[in-house]
Amino acid sequence: AQSVTQPDIHITVSEGASLELRCNYSYGATPYLFWYVQSPGQGLQLLLKYFSGDTLVQGIKGFEAEFKRSQSSFNLRKPSVHWSDAAEYFCAVGVSGGSYIPTFGRGTSLIVHP
Amino acid sequence: NAGVTQTPKFRILKIGQSMTLQCAQDMNHNYMYWYRQDPGMGLKLIYYSVGAGITDKGEVPNGYNVSRSTTEDFPLRLELAAPSQTSVYFCASSTSGSGNTIYFGEGSWLTVV
């Protein structure tokens, strides 16, 4: 079965600084990979997803993520963080074929200092 | 553009009471899910459904029941509420097939006292 690890529970950055949130997955074949964002008191919203092709994926709100097969990673990046980016970020992994039940990581809480 | 709608948004239950969390989607999605979210624990899948009349257990099904009589609705029933069921519950849906975006409701905050 697939699994996903987000090693950082909290990340604190200053507004305007760059951001990288880590995500590692475990799956025997090429997975489907997702990043979701959860603003306080809200449900989750898709930021971006990777299926195949270009390993650098662009998403909404200026986020991008890079799939690195050799490292089993799918890290989320943003060159300049805004205060409104403070939220919980979830990485998820899905598999091809059969019922589509993705597995979510435990989330990383992003704190943005002014 | 409603998407996934959950009710109620907030509820306080006494130990031993029962209740149903309602979930409806208007996107004609085949797949529907119920997750619970506890602080620092991410999302845990309770039950899911791949179509009307078909449901299956997820990771943490004990104490819950679901039904899927229509494509649109996927209610979650809590029987004999316990303090361990205090959590935030999210309903979600997606089209069938792998790799499709999952759309979430805004959540239902449940406290069992």
Side-chain angles (χ1 to χ4, degrees), chain B residues 83-105:
Chain B
S84 61
Q85 294 178 301
T86 294
S87 188
V88 183
Y89 293 84
F90 288 98
C91 181
S93 71
S94 67
T95 57
S96 55
S98 299
N100 287 288
T101 300
I102 297 179
Y103 295 85
F104 286 82

Side-chain angles (χ1 to χ4, degrees), chain A residues 85-105:
Chain A
D85 293 323
E88 191 88 15
Y89 291 81
F90 292 90
C91 183
V93 59
V95 300
S96 60
S99 299
Y100 171 60
I101 309 299
T103 298
F104 284 82

Side-chain angles (χ1 to χ4, degrees), chain A residues 55-71:
Chain A
T55 56
L56 185 61
V57 180
Q58 301 298 320
I60 63 172
K61 304 183 181 184
F63 285 91
E64 66 179 25
E66 186 172 12
F67 171 59
K68 292 185 177 180
R69 183 190 307 276
S70 61
Q71 298 177 20

Side-chain angles (χ1 to χ4, degrees), chain B residues 48-104:
Chain B
Y48 67 98
S49 168
V50 300
I54 306 169
T55 62
D56 208 346
K57 296 178 181 179
E59 186 179 357
V60 290
N62 290 343
Y64 307 94
N65 277 300
V66 295
S67 60
R68 185 94 181 272
S69 57
T70 67
T71 298
E72 295 78 18
D73 300 302
F74 191 43
L76 177 71
R77 178 85 177 160
L78 280 72
E79 304 284 359
L80 299 175
S84 61
Q85 294 178 301
T86 294
S87 188
V88 183
Y89 293 84
F90 288 98
C91 181
S93 71
S94 67
T95 57
S96 55
S98 299
N100 287 288
T101 300
I102 297 179
Y103 295 85
F104 286 82

